[in-house]
């Protein structure tokens, strides 16, 4: 009881309140700007929080992250540029909803579902931290391999229109992830003697290039053309939360499912908000009564995925706090901050500084609740950006992306990377190749290969070894089932009534 | 701007083969059967296979090699895109020498004007936004944006 009171005292301090407000605004701004991500927000906050006490600095990071993950939905809906990778899974639905005049419903649902997801994530963090971390500890390379494979397979088959092109994108992404030093043997691969490439393809500049720069190029190509459909959604004024409660009530199972899935995925080391959103979207589409509506502007996938990605933010802290293993890239940075503050993450922190742990949980809850009013302000404000002429908006976003890419590597290499990936993304998207699997491949490639190689070496090439452990076997069977089902659908399509497309060769 | 599937399929087939061939050149993992070349080989094969399937699909569809929307056949839009890329490149290449502030202001001005904004708002945007970026990133977050010719002045 004493520790609880001590924690309350630490949190409800006016300085912490001010920090939460500023960090929240910062997180919303960074998340809402395509080209700046939640990870970047955290990374850029570290030097600022260097001079603060542990609780305010954690408060700053937690709040900024929570806001940024929600705010990433805003440019996705308005400009079809996801502000953060976590919003990429449902950017298509988001944008279409905005175009058909349902912008308020879209963002309002996003906000409320994100808040609910965030709260459920925190609740799990506080209640199940020990149990969940122990379960994840049992995972060996086999389970991680199949989990990665599952996520990637979902991205190809369930969450995209043209599986073959999505597969190509994924292969490109995974190959790009191989650039750099090999995880098993430490051998430089595909570096062509370039020192900068030894570190591999940096994920953030690549993402900025693929999602933001390519979108800018697309916009620049058509900026002087009159009457473009892809310009602005119709301005819809009025209350943000109208109709949202109805959506939440109608899809309450989705919200719960998304939050639970998000928490679990977030808790698994290496899998973060973006994977949570993808898996949740895919699962939602699979279990929905109207899967054909996904991708056309349907709110159901949004409900699941936005709850999931905010829930995963809380979930990612579970292994981070309990074991010092990052749940995602943001928590990797947080662990560094905790070490700097002398709060070494691990079981000992629960013994030595329990009030700080409780304070962290409370900050999380406060941050999620603060997200609602701050999010309301952000949505109302963000639409003003849209009234700005594209001729002013596009150059500004270009510069922001540039600085963002530079900031992550502190060298022009980041900018070159962004440029190349931007060109690649632009050419690919113009030709119907989805760009998101490239990012997925880049993010998961290292972990995927590491677990694959470890598993192969452990079982000495015996593929049956991948199914020996029960959890691995279950995951493995799921992955194979997805592949068989999807390939079967391509080879033996059901008779199509209207289109005269011939069935593929049997 | 659509390139036919046949062509892109061919490109990816070639790329996949290139990846596999390059991967064969990686040294092995001493004492282990599986080394750094395994994963890239699998990926390259996957890329090549899917490129082949895509190419075949494209050949069957029979679309022309390159299709451009009517309004994209003029050079104007492409010059705009080239300018965006040029600004990015300029900052990457000459950032250290000239500095972030002059290049950013010049770049913003050029792009705004090119994209159709009137001269006065363009100057306003260029100046205000550069100042904002500098204050936020270099001032607040201490990102080492290059000072260039303004070294010692700031």
């Amino acid at each position: 009881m004493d520790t609880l009171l001590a924690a309350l005292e630490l949190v409800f301090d006016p300085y912490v309140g001010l920090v939460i407000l500023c960090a929240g605004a910062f997180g919303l701004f960074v998340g809402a700007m395509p080209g700046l991500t939640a990870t970047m927000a955290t990374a850029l906050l570290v030097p600022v929080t260097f001079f603060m006490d542990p609780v305010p600095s954690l408060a700053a990071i937690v709040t900024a992250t929570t806001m940024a993950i929600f705010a990433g939905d805003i440019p996705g809906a308005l400009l079809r540029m996801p502000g953060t990778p976590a919003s990429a899974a449902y950017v298509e639905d988001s944008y279409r909803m905005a175009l058909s005049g349902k912008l308020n419903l879209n963002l309002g649902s996003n906000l409320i579902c994100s808040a609910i997801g965030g709260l459920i994530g925190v609740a799990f963090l506080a209640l199940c931290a020990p149990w969940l971390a122990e379960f994840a500890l049992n995972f060996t390379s086999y389970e991680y391999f199949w989990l990665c494979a599952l996520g990637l397979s979902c991205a190809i088959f369930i969450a995209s229109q043209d599986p073959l092109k999505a597969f190509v994108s994924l292969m490109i992404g995974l190959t790009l992830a191989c650039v750099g030093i090999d995880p098993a043997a430490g051998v430089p691969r595909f570096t062509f003697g370039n020192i900068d490439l030894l570190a591999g393809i940096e994920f953030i500049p690549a993402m900025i290039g693929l999602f933001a720069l390519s979108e800018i190029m697309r916009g620049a190509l058509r900026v002087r053309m009159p009457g473009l459909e892809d310009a602005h959604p119709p301005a819809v004024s009025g209350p943000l939360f109208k109709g949202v409660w109805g959506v939440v009530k109608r899809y309450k199972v989705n919200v719960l499912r998304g939050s639970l899935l998000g928490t679990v995925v977030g808790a698994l080391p290496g899998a973060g908000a973006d994977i949570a959103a993808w898996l949740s979207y895919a699962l939602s589409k699979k279990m929905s009564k109207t899967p054909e509506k996904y991708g056309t502007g349907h709110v159901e996938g949004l409900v699941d995925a936005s709850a999931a990605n905010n829930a995963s933010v809380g979930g990612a802290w579970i292994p981070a706090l309990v074991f010092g293993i990052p749940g995602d890239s943001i928590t990797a940075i947080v662990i560094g901050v905790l070490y700097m503050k002398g709060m070494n993450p691990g079981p000992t922190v629960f013994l030595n500084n329990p009030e700080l742990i409780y304070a962290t949980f409370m900050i999380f809850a406060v941050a999620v609740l603060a997200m609602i009013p701050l999010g309301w302000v952000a949505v109302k404000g963000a639409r003003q950006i849209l009234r700005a002429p594209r001729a002013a908006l596009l150059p500004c976003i270009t510069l922001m992306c540039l600085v963002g890419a530079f900031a992550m590597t502190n060298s022009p290499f980041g900018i070159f990377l962004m440029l190349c990936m931007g060109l690649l993304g632009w050419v690919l998207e113009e030709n119907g190749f989805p760009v998101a699997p490239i990012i997925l491949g880049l993010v998961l490639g290292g972990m995927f290969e590491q677990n694959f190689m470890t598993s192969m070496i452990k079982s000495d090439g015996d593929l049956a070894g991948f199914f020996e452990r029960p959890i691995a076997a279950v995951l493995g069977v799921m992955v194979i089932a997805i592949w068989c089902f999807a390939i079967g659908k391509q080879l033996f399509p059901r008779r199509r009534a209207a289109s005269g497309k011939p069935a593929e060769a049997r | 701007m659509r390139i036919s599937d046949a062509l892109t399929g061919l490109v990816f087939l070639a790329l996949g083969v290139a990846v596999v061939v390059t991967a064969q050149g990686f040294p092995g993992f001493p004492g282990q059967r599986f080394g750094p070349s395994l994963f890239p080989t699998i990926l390259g094969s996957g890329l090549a296979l899917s490129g082949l399937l895509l190419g075949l699909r494209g050949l069957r569809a029979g679309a022309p090699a390159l299709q451009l929307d009517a309004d994209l056949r003029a050079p104007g839009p492409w010059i705009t895109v080239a300018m965006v890329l040029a600004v990015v490149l300029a900052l990457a290449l000459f950032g250290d020498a000239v500095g972030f502030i002059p290049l950013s202001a010049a770049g913003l001005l050029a792009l705004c004007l090119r994209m159709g904004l009137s001269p006065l708002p363009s100057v306003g945007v260029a100046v205000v936004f550069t100042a904002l970026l500098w204050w936020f990133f270099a001032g607040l977050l201490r990102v080492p944006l290059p000072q260039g010719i303004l070294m010692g002045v700031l």
Side-chain angles (χ1 to χ4, degrees):
Chain A
M1 198 58 208
D2 294 331
T3 39
L4 221 70
L5 285 171
L8 270 167
E9 228 182 273
L10 282 171
V11 174
F12 289 103
D13 170 11
Y15 176 60
V16 173
L18 183 65
V19 164
I20 288 184
L21 221 64
C22 295
F26 171 66
L28 274 168
F29 172 71
V30 168
M33 275 289 138
L36 306 181
T37 70
T39 316
M40 183 188 295
T42 316
L44 294 174
L45 266 183
V46 169
V48 175
T49 62
F50 194 68
F51 304 102
M52 293 191 218
D53 287 332
V55 171
S57 59
L58 280 178
I61 294 178
V62 165
T63 318
T65 319
T66 311
M67 303 293 169
I69 299 279
F70 160 67
D73 298 335
I74 302 180
L78 297 177
L79 300 172
R80 203 180 160 259
M81 295 190 220
T84 65
S87 311
Y90 47 93
V91 71
E92 197 60 50
D93 268 310
S94 229
Y95 187 59
R96 297 281 174 92
M97 270 189 86
L99 282 182
S100 60
K102 293 199 249 167
L103 180 64
N104 271 342
L105 189 63
N106 174 0
L107 289 172
S109 316
N110 258 335
L111 184 55
I112 297 298
C113 294
S114 296
I116 297 179
L119 282 173
I120 294 183
V122 177
F124 264 94
L125 174 63
L127 296 173
C128 306
W131 182 82
L132 274 172
E134 215 174 299
F135 181 68
L137 254 197
N138 285 331
F139 273 36
T140 64
S141 62
Y142 299 113
E143 281 87 5
Y144 276 118
F145 168 75
W146 284 124
L147 194 71
C148 286
L150 189 64
L152 296 174
S153 308
C154 287
I156 304 172
F157 292 121
I158 303 178
S160 87
Q161 303 279 27
D162 187 344
L164 186 57
K165 290 192 172 171
F167 183 74
V168 171
S169 295
L170 186 65
M171 289 295 112
I172 296 178
L174 288 171
T175 312
L176 284 174
C178 288
V179 173
I181 300 206
D182 159 61
V187 159
R189 295 187 300 188
F190 301 116
T191 55
F192 307 113
N194 187 322
I195 297 184
D196 290 305
L197 282 177
L198 272 178
I201 304 281
E202 287 272 348
F203 161 65
I204 302 279
M207 192 212 78
I208 295 176
L210 278 172
F211 279 122
L213 192 65
S214 66
E215 196 66 43
I216 291 173
M217 286 165 72
R218 203 177 352 258
L221 207 56
R222 299 172 169 91
V223 72
R224 279 181 183 258
M225 292 179 194
L228 283 170
E229 173 262 342
D230 67 356
H232 315 283
V236 178
S237 57
L240 182 63
F241 298 119
K242 186 163 159 200
V244 168
W245 188 239
V247 170
V248 172
K249 251 178 38 179
R250 197 158 134 221
Y251 295 114
K252 54 182 178 296
V253 171
N254 294 50
V255 173
L256 266 162
R257 187 178 59 210
S259 309
L260 286 171
L261 184 67
T263 312
V264 170
V265 172
L268 290 168
D274 38 356
I275 309 285
W278 276 106
L279 278 178
S280 172
Y281 187 78
L283 187 65
S284 172
K285 188 170 171 184
K286 213 63 235 253
M287 308 204 68
S288 156
K289 299 191 184 79
T290 55
E292 67 285 349
K293 284 203 198 160
Y294 281 63
T296 63
H298 189 48
V299 77
E300 194 175 345
L302 277 164
V303 163
D304 264 87
S306 58
N309 63 17
N310 272 83
S312 74
V313 172
W317 283 67
I318 298 175
L321 279 181
V322 179
F323 290 100
I325 300 174
D328 61 12
S329 42
I330 295 174
T331 38
I333 300 172
V334 166
I335 287 174
V337 172
L338 288 175
Y339 272 111
M340 270 198 310
K341 301 281 169 205
M343 258 179 82
N344 298 353
T348 50
V349 80
F350 282 83
L351 297 170
N352 297 341
N353 298 323
E355 66 276 1
L356 281 168
I357 298 291
Y358 284 120
T360 309
F361 298 156
M362 284 180 208
I363 290 167
F364 249 109
V366 169
V368 171
L369 290 171
M371 179 169 73
I372 300 182
L374 277 172
W376 184 89
V377 169
V379 171
K380 294 289 174 188
R383 272 186 288 178
Q384 296 311 317
I385 294 180
L386 222 59
R387 297 190 202 279
R390 298 201 98 203
L393 199 59
L394 285 175
C396 289
I397 299 182
T398 311
L399 259 300
M400 293 214 77
C401 292
L402 224 154
V403 180
F406 178 83
M408 287 319 280
T409 57
N410 279 353
S411 91
F413 176 64
I415 304 181
F416 285 121
L417 207 53
M418 178 185 78
L419 197 62
C420 296
M421 298 304 283
L423 275 164
L424 180 72
W426 175 58
V427 171
L428 285 181
E429 260 211 293
E430 288 279 326
N431 289 290
F433 290 84
V435 148
I438 303 184
I439 282 296
L440 214 58
L442 258 177
V443 171
L444 281 184
M447 188 173 140
F448 195 36
E449 177 175 11
Q450 183 141 19
N451 287 299
F452 176 64
M453 295 304 289
T454 313
S455 309
M456 287 294 271
I457 292 175
K458 275 199 305 207
S459 67
D460 202 24
D462 180 18
L463 290 177
F466 281 80
F467 296 92
E468 260 172 34
R469 296 169 57 89
I471 305 175
V474 167
L475 287 171
V477 166
M478 280 169 74
V479 172
I480 295 185
I482 291 182
W483 276 84
C484 290
F485 181 70
I487 295 181
K489 229 162 74 159
Q490 289 285 310
L491 287 179
F492 310 108
R494 263 176 277 156
R495 247 171 290 134
R496 290 170 219 260
S499 93
K501 211 168 166 193
E504 306 276 4
R506 284 194 156 233
Chain B
M1 182 196 72
R2 285 205 64 119
I3 306 177
S4 79
D5 279 356
L7 213 57
T8 46
L10 190 67
V11 167
F12 288 124
L13 175 62
L15 201 62
V17 169
V19 165
V20 173
V21 165
T22 318
Q24 301 316 307
F26 296 151
F29 197 173
Q32 288 293 344
R33 261 202 290 163
F34 311 108
S37 60
L38 180 59
F39 206 59
T41 308
I42 299 178
L43 292 177
S45 319
L47 195 58
L49 182 64
S50 50
L52 184 66
L53 288 172
L54 195 63
L56 288 175
R57 194 171 86 179
L59 280 174
R60 232 182 300 155
L66 180 65
Q67 282 174 304
L68 276 179
D69 296 335
D71 32 9
L72 286 180
R73 297 209 188 134
W78 299 95
I79 299 183
T80 314
V81 174
M83 276 181 70
V84 170
L85 299 176
V87 167
V88 174
L89 253 178
L91 259 151
L93 292 172
F94 307 117
D96 272 332
V98 180
F100 174 76
I101 294 186
L103 283 176
S104 163
L108 279 171
L109 186 63
L111 284 176
C112 286
L113 286 173
R114 172 71 201 175
M115 293 198 187
L117 201 62
S118 334
L120 203 56
S122 296
V123 172
V125 166
V127 168
V128 168
F129 203 66
T130 303
L132 206 68
L133 282 176
W134 185 264
W135 167 76
F136 187 67
F137 282 98
L140 214 57
L141 296 175
R142 308 207 184 273
V143 173
L145 291 173
Q147 290 174 317
I149 54 181
L150 291 175
M151 189 100 66
V153 172
L154 289 164

